[in-house]
Amino acid sequence: MEKDYQIVKMEKQKHIALIAHDNRKQDLIEWVKSKKEILHRHFLCGTGTTAKLISEYAGLPVKAYHSGPLGGDQQIGARIAEGEIDFMIFFWDPLSAQPHDPDVKALLRISALYDIPVATNPSTADFLLSSPLMDEEYDRHIIDYAKRMKRRTEDFSKGNLSEF
């Protein structure tokens, strides 16, 4: 069977996006401060205010994009699609409606499409950061959905329904 994915190498030094909704910014800052020893070995970026606050309060360099509602989520998503971000920690507020909810959904979707590890809470972020894979190269498998759908359509037209 023809391979329907592309392998993209994630280097030992990860490019990590840090994002938090307003009600979760303090949580993310405290988490980053507690993980500073690990995070300082990686490249960090984030959306507007979150990046500024982490730099200020945790003392780590964080490349800042626009604020989430002003396009920062989309900028982060574009960097993921371009292979410039390997990992995302996004402390979102599940109980508050956000004016840019469609952008948030698109960001999570693009993360899944490009096989990016995502943590949406401190527990998951702790598990990801404590993984032995944080200090190793890692091969992500990015599915070629167009090739996969074409193959399924061809199988279906041939009467092969075993994949469905």
Side-chain angles (χ1 to χ4, degrees), residues 92-145:
W92 63 284
D93 182 355
L95 299 179
S96 295
Q98 302 294 326
H100 62 296
D101 274 342
D103 299 332
V104 171
K105 185 175 181 182
L107 181 57
L108 294 172
R109 180 181 163 275
I110 206 82
S111 298
L113 280 170
Y114 287 91
D115 198 24
I116 297 294
V118 176
T120 58
N121 57 52
S123 296
T124 306
D126 286 345
F127 272 80
L128 291 177
L129 239 54
S130 66
S131 167
L133 298 174
M134 280 301 295
D135 295 320
E136 299 176 9
E137 291 181 346
Y138 179 79
D139 290 337
R140 293 185 293 125
H141 292 77
I142 300 172
I143 295 170
D144 183 339
Y145 284 97

Side-chain angles (χ1 to χ4, degrees), residues 5-72:
Y5 59 88
Q6 172 187 2
I7 296 175
V8 175
K9 185 168 296 302
M10 190 185 301
E11 301 296 331
K12 286 182 181 183
Q13 195 171 27
K14 310 295 187 267
H15 291 78
I16 303 172
L18 301 169
I19 305 167
H21 283 152
D22 288 345
N23 289 341
R24 299 298 311 277
K25 287 188 190 320
Q26 187 62 43
D27 297 330
L28 182 60
I29 291 165
E30 293 303 319
W31 182 85
V32 167
K33 285 167 57 176
S34 75
K35 303 301 179 193
K36 187 175 177 177
E37 188 60 37
I38 297 168
L39 292 171
H40 89 277
R41 297 188 300 246
H42 302 281
F43 298 106
L44 306 176
C45 67
T47 51
T49 307
T50 303
K52 181 180 178 235
L53 291 171
I54 290 170
S55 291
E56 185 176 334
Y57 291 103
L60 292 171
V62 183
K63 176 183 171 69
Y65 291 102
H66 293 306
S67 171
L70 299 177

